[in-house]
Amino acid sequence: MRRAISLVPRGTRPTASAVNSIVKNSPSFIMQNKDLLQILDLIDAGEVVPDLGIYSDLVRLCANCRLQEHARLVHAHFQRSHFTADVFLNNSFINMYCKCGAMAEAQQIFDGMLERDMVSWTALISGYSTSATPEKAISLFPRMLAGGFFPNAYTLASLVKACGAMANGPPVCTLHCFSVKYGLNSSVFVGSAMVDVYARQGRTDEARKLFLSLPAKNEVSWNALIAGFSREGDVDSAMESFVEMQRSSGFFKASHYTYSSMFVACARIGSLEQGKWVHAHLVKSGCTFTIFLGNTLLAMYAKSGAMDDARKLFQRLRNKDLVSWNTILTACAQHGLGREAGNLLKKMIEGGRRPNEVTFLAVLTASSRCGLLEQGEEFFKMMGNYEIAPRAEHYATMVDLLARAGLLLRAESFISEMPIKPTAAVWGALLGACRMHKNWKLGELAAMRALELDPLDSGVHMLLYNLYACCGRWAEAAGVRKKMKELGVKKEPACSWVEVGNSVHVFVADDDSHPQREEIQRLWQRLHEKIKDLGYAPDVDHVLLFMDEGERENRLQSHSERMALAFALLNLPPSAPIRIKKNIRVCGDCHVAFKLVSGVLNRDIIVRDTNRFHHFRSGGCSCGDYW
Ligand code: ZN
Ligand code: ZN
C-alpha cells in the first residue's frame, strides 16, 4: 500500500474516502499482508478514520485474494472496532470466508446473525457447494425454506453443483422439480449448472436431453455439453454440438474454452481431420488465441501423429509456458524422437525456463525409446540440480532404458538401490526388457515381484506368458494361463481405430461381424502373398493360444490393427496416409508386416499404440525396431 500513502498529499491526514478509493483501485493480487497491516495500523493510529465502507472494501478484497489469514485479520480488526455489522456486512463476511475456504468461520457468522436474508442463505449454500462438505449445502436448503425464504436462480444452481459433487447425493432431477416449483426452470443459470453436472458425471445422454429441453441456452450451457462429450472421448457428438452451436445460435460464438474442448476431444481419439477442421474454424473465427488454447491444439497435432504440424505450431507459439514445452517433449517421447527431445530440453533451459518432473519424465521416456543410454543417464542426474526427487515413473523409465539396452543386471541392481519402494511398473519395465532379450530367469523374478504388488495385473501375466513362450518353455507358459484362469484375470480385448472420411471405425480382434469382413480378408491374403515374397514369415510367438501353426497364422490375420489397415486401404484415397490407433502395444508380427506393406504399397502408415507412435514408410519404421 506504499502507493496508497504516496497518493495522499503530504502533511494532510488521509481521510476515509482517500483510503477507500485506493483500496477500490488496488488490484487484489498486489495486496500483500503487510499492506493490509499498514491500512489496519493507520486505522489504529487514528490516521485513517474508518467507516463501514472501508471495512466492506477490505472484506471484498480479501474475498478476491482468497487468503484465509487476510480474512481473519480484517475480521478480528472489525470485531475490535466500535462498529456492529449489519446484514449487508455480515453477508460480505460469510462470502469472504466461503471464498477463502474457511467454512467453519462462515458458519459461525451465519449462526450469530440475528437477522438473515436471502443473500445470507445463498452465500452459505454456495460456499458449501464447492467445499469438501457439499452435503451441508443440501441440508441447509429445507431450513432455508422453513425460514420463509425462497431460493433464487443462484441458490438453485449452487444446490445443483452440490448434488453433482456428492458421491451419494440426491439426484439432480429432484432439484429440477424445485426449479419448476419456484418458476426458475427457465433460468439459463440453473439449466447450465444441471447440464454441467450430468456431463461431469459422464451421463452425457442425460446432459444432452436436458440441454435440448432448456428454454434458454447460453455459452455456458453449450460449453458444458461439449466439454462433457470431449471428456468422454465422444468426438462425433462433440462435433455435432459444435456445429449446431454455430448454426442455431447466431449470437453465441465459440470461445477459447469451446475450441480447446474440441481439440481435447480430437486428441483423445487421434482424429486429425476433424482437429484440422476445428483449427481452420478457429482461425476464421477471430477468437483470441490464448496459450491455454495453443497448448490443446499442440497436443491435438502431436497425439494425432502429425508431428510436423506440431513442430511448426510450437515454433509459432508466442508466450510458450511450461505446459507448451512439456506437451512438445511428451510428443517427442511418443514419437520416439530421443535426440530432438534432448535438444529441446537444452533450448528450454537456455531460455531460462525451469523444467519440472513432467519435463524429465518426457525426456527420459524419449531417451529410453531410442536407446540413448548416456543422454538418459545425464538427464536423470540433472533432476538433482533442480531438486526434483524422481518418482516411481522416472525410476521405471530408467529401468526400461538400462534393461532394453541389454544391461539387465545393471537394471536389477538399479532397482535394488532405489530409495523408494519399487512399484509394479518398475518391475514390469524389467520384465518387458527380459522378454525382448529372452532372459526368462530374471523375467520370472521381475514378474513375481510385480504380481506381489498387483496379483491381477493382466499385462504382467501376459508378458510372463509371452516370455515363457518365446523361450520355448511351454510347460511354464501353460502354468501362467492356468493361473490366470484361476484368478479370473482377463486379457483386455485388443481394439484398433482408424479414421476414414469423417468418422472413426473401431475394430476388435477376431471380430467377424464387420460388413466388409470378406473384402478385408481377401485384401490381406493378397498382401500376404506379396510380402511373403519379401521374406515375411509369420511370427506365431505373438499368438497367445495353443493351436497348430496353420491356425495360429490365421489368428494373426485377424489382429485388430490388420483389419483396420485393410479397411483403410479399401476405403481411403490411394495416396492418403493411414492413421491407426491401438489400445494395447502393437504386436511384433504386425509390426513386421506393416513395414513390408508400407514398402510394397508405397504408403505411409502411422500407428499409435499405448506406448508410442510407429511411422511406417518405405519398408521401415521410425522406431528402428527398438520398442
Ligand atoms: Zn498383430
Ligand atoms: Zn515401429
Side-chain angles (χ1 to χ4, degrees), residues 542 556 559-562 582 586-591:
H542 292 280
L556 276 174
H559 275 187
S560 64
E561 61 266 51
R562 286 193 195 215
K582 199 182 174 195
V586 59
C587 90
D589 187 71
C590 289
H591 194 265

Side-chain angles (χ1 to χ4, degrees), residues 265-272 300 303-304 499 579 581 608:
C266 295
R268 280 284 296 267
I269 64 151
S271 173
L272 183 63
M300 186 280 290
K303 287 188 179 162
S304 312
E499 193 177 28
R579 295 168 203 280
K581 195 186 141 200
R608 167 193 176 187

Side-chain angles (χ1 to χ4, degrees), residues 319-623:
N319 311 324
K320 293 182 188 69
D321 61 8
L322 184 61
V323 176
S324 329
W325 284 98
N326 286 349
T327 306
I328 193 80
L329 285 167
T330 304
C332 287
Q334 282 177 321
H335 289 265
L337 302 164
R339 290 196 195 286
E340 188 172 338
N343 292 336
L344 275 168
L345 177 67
K346 282 177 192 143
K347 241 191 221 164
M348 173 181 176
I349 293 171
E350 277 162 19
R353 194 162 283 287
R354 200 183 161 82
N356 69 357
E357 52 188 30
V358 179
T359 322
F360 279 108
L361 187 60
V363 290
L364 287 176
T365 308
S367 309
S368 140
R369 299 270 156 86
C370 306
L372 297 176
L373 187 59
E374 266 178 44
Q375 177 179 295
E377 286 183 308
E378 184 197 331
F379 290 153
F380 188 73
K381 272 196 210 117
M382 203 192 271
M383 292 179 76
N385 303 348
Y386 292 94
E387 287 157 10
I388 300 169
R391 289 188 321 218
E393 293 97 312
H394 298 95
Y395 284 107
T397 313
M398 279 308 285
V399 169
D400 189 57
L401 177 63
L402 291 165
R404 279 211 278 174
L407 306 170
L408 292 174
L409 295 177
R410 245 185 85 189
E412 195 194 1
S413 60
F414 181 84
I415 296 178
S416 65
E417 286 160 15
M418 276 174 62
I420 54 173
K421 198 172 177 290
T423 57
V426 172
W427 291 112
L430 183 61
L431 172 60
C434 288
R435 154 86 169 82
M436 188 175 164
H437 295 290
K438 302 200 177 182
N439 182 334
W440 66 270
K441 277 203 166 153
L442 185 57
E444 198 172 51
L445 178 111
M448 294 312 142
R449 294 280 171 276
L451 291 174
E452 275 164 19
L453 295 166
D454 183 4
L456 299 179
D457 186 332
S458 64
V460 171
H461 285 286
M462 298 305 289
L463 262 173
L464 183 60
Y465 175 86
N466 268 328
L467 171 62
Y468 284 138
C470 77
C471 296
R473 304 197 68 88
W474 295 103
E476 284 91 342
V480 176
R481 282 202 77 81
K482 205 172 140 231
K483 190 87 198 244
M484 284 175 75
K485 244 191 207 143
E486 280 168 17
L487 292 169
V489 178
K490 282 210 183 71
K491 177 183 155 210
E492 190 184 352
C495 282
S496 292
W497 293 262
V498 67
E499 193 177 28
V500 169
N502 266 332
S503 50
V504 175
H505 299 256
V506 188
F507 292 85
V508 183
D510 304 322
D511 175 16
D512 295 332
S513 63
H514 198 273
Q516 278 183 294
R517 170 90 195 152
E518 284 181 11
E519 283 170 81
I520 289 174
Q521 255 174 358
R522 272 201 300 276
L523 179 66
W524 260 114
Q525 268 156 18
R526 283 207 308 279
L527 286 172
H528 201 176
E529 293 309 314
K530 278 191 188 166
I531 59 177
K532 250 184 176 160
D533 293 345
L534 294 170
Y536 166 73
D539 177 3
V540 285
D541 266 5
H542 292 280
V543 184
L544 305 164
L545 288 165
F546 295 108
M547 36 177 75
D548 63 57
E549 291 282 313
E551 205 182 338
R552 279 200 232 165
E553 211 178 299
N554 276 338
R555 266 300 161 101
L556 276 174
Q557 305 315 325
S558 60
H559 275 187
S560 64
E561 61 266 51
R562 286 193 195 215
M563 300 203 294
L565 174 61
F567 176 77
L569 286 169
L570 288 167
N571 296 290
L572 277 177
S575 62
I578 296 166
R579 295 168 203 280
I580 295 169
K581 195 186 141 200
K582 199 182 174 195
N583 67 338
I584 53 173
R585 249 167 72 103
V586 59
C587 90
D589 187 71
C590 289
H591 194 265
V592 176
F594 277 32
K595 280 198 293 186
L596 295 169
V597 170
S598 76
V600 169
L601 300 181
N602 194 21
R603 273 302 260 278
D604 281 13
I605 307 165
I606 298 143
V607 179
R608 167 193 176 187
D609 69 11
T610 39
N611 280 341
R612 58 167 298 146
F613 277 93
H614 297 268
H615 291 249
F616 299 94
R617 175 181 280 181
S618 324
C621 178
S622 62
C623 71

